[in-house]
Amino acid sequence: MLHRGQESTDGTGGGELTVPMAWLYAEYIADELLRTGDLMPPTSFEFRAGRDALALTIFLSDTDGELSGIRVVTQLETWLSLTAYDQPWQDWVQERMSRLTAETREAGAESPDLTLAEAAWRWLEETELLAPDLDAVPGGGPVTGEDDRPKVWTPAWRLGLPLGHLAIHLF
């Protein structure tokens, strides 16, 4: 979904501006789902991780290239299944990104949508957030408060994906 307009820095027009509408719309949907769920402050890194993971899921699952506001509700089940705990989400993202990149190069085109999706994926993979260790052995000792629980550094997508999944459920 590319929108083109005439734009230049000196105000005379002539240059083409391609607006990444598909990515921006996927990011908007993800943002709204997370805000509705009210799971964490919108200014937190956890919120960003959830938004980016969910936006990638939404963007990459749109195989027709036409995100539609009318279809959002019908896509919730698809997004739930893609973000479920037992699914190989990371492999799916890498496969879809590779396919989209190849298709874009084959067409000899540039895609600002894909560029933004790649940047989000890179951030999700390379950024680590301190999160509760969900694999810690229960009963390993008394835990009095939430801050006393064992924590581990984890890639942002590992934290953002379940947050996105939960946000869809709460919607």
Side-chain angles (χ1 to χ4, degrees):
M1 180 182 326
L2 299 178
H3 294 281
R4 298 185 185 275
Q6 298 299 317
E7 194 66 50
S8 77
T9 56
D10 63 4
T12 60
E16 255 186 36
L17 174 67
T18 305
V19 180
M21 292 303 295
W23 175 259
L24 293 175
Y25 191 57
E27 197 173 51
Y28 169 76
I29 294 168
D31 192 80
E32 286 300 311
L33 287 169
L34 283 164
R35 285 179 190 271
T36 301
D38 196 26
L39 298 170
M40 77 284 311
T43 55
S44 68
F45 284 114
E46 292 84 357
F47 185 92
R48 178 180 176 184
R51 185 195 63 217
D52 285 0
L54 204 46
L56 270 173
T57 303
I58 293 165
F59 176 73
L60 295 174
S61 67
D62 181 37
T63 55
D64 297 332
E66 293 185 15
L67 284 173
S68 168
I70 297 170
R71 288 187 30 225
V72 167
V73 174
T74 64
Q75 294 298 310
L76 291 175
E77 287 298 319
T78 300
W79 302 335
L80 272 174
S81 67
L82 288 168
T83 59
Y85 178 74
D86 60 347
Q87 296 302 308
W89 184 82
Q90 182 183 21
D91 296 336
W92 176 79
V93 168
Q94 290 171 336
E95 178 186 312
R96 289 287 299 143
M97 293 289 277
S98 295
R99 189 177 324 149
L100 283 174
T101 300
E103 289 170 2
T104 302
R105 284 187 186 144
E106 209 173 274
E110 289 185 29
S111 170
D113 293 305
L114 185 57
T115 301
L116 290 174
E118 288 169 339
W121 179 233
R122 207 170 24 259
W123 185 85
L124 285 167
E125 280 192 303
E126 295 172 0
T127 303
E128 290 192 343
L129 301 174
L130 191 58
D133 185 359
L134 300 177
D135 295 326
V137 178
V143 177
T144 56
E146 187 174 317
D147 291 336
D148 296 332
R149 292 183 180 163
K151 296 191 179 194
V152 64
W153 288 100
T154 185
W157 73 267
R158 287 194 184 268
L159 183 59
L161 189 61
L163 290 173
H165 183 81
L166 183 56
I168 295 169
H169 268 295
L170 294 174
F171 185 73

